[in-house]
Amino acid sequence: AGAYVNFYPVYGKMAWLDNKVAHFDVYAQLGAGQVTLKSGPTSTYSAGAGLGIWVNPKISTRFEVKYQNYTAQYYTGPLALDLTVASMQVGWLL
């Protein structure tokens, strides 16, 4: 479980193939929560940034990079894990 705060400091429009207009936004994200591991629950923190583009009223894309940190308990002791994930999503509005 976790909570996230998103901040959209930049949004606007851009010309797309000389005859279409695409809307876009740039965003930042901060989060905190708890993950349940085999060794028990632990706190997690995350930060991310992304770009969303609406190609037309029905299709959108999102490019995002997200960093997450938490500590896992192993037999040899605690180990801090730093994860970074880059993703691209495509959405279709029905």
Side-chain angles (χ1 to χ4, degrees), residues 3-38:
Y4 294 94
V5 175
N6 293 314
F7 177 59
Y8 294 83
V10 178
Y11 59 92
K13 300 176 186 179
M14 65 182 164
W16 187 263
L17 301 175
D18 291 334
N19 61 356
K20 300 271 185 179
V21 174
H23 297 260
F24 69 92
D25 63 20
V26 176
Y27 65 94
Q29 180 185 79
L30 293 175
Q34 189 173 43
V35 294
T36 302
L37 305 173
K38 190 174 181 181

Side-chain angles (χ1 to χ4, degrees), residues 3-75:
Y4 294 94
V5 175
N6 293 314
F7 177 59
Y8 294 83
V10 178
Y11 59 92
K13 300 176 186 179
M14 65 182 164
W16 187 263
L17 301 175
D18 291 334
N19 61 356
K20 300 271 185 179
V21 174
H23 297 260
F24 69 92
D25 63 20
V26 176
Y27 65 94
Q29 180 185 79
L30 293 175
Q34 189 173 43
V35 294
T36 302
L37 305 173
K38 190 174 181 181
S39 61
T42 186
S43 297
T44 183
Y45 304 98
S46 66
L51 169 68
I53 301 172
W54 284 261
V55 178
N56 64 38
K58 294 205 175 258
I59 299 174
S60 69
T61 60
R62 200 164 278 294
F63 304 95
E64 182 176 270
V65 175
K66 191 173 182 180
Y67 165 80
Q68 185 176 12
N69 172 278
Y70 62 90
T71 301
Q73 295 294 329
Y74 287 98
Y75 296 112

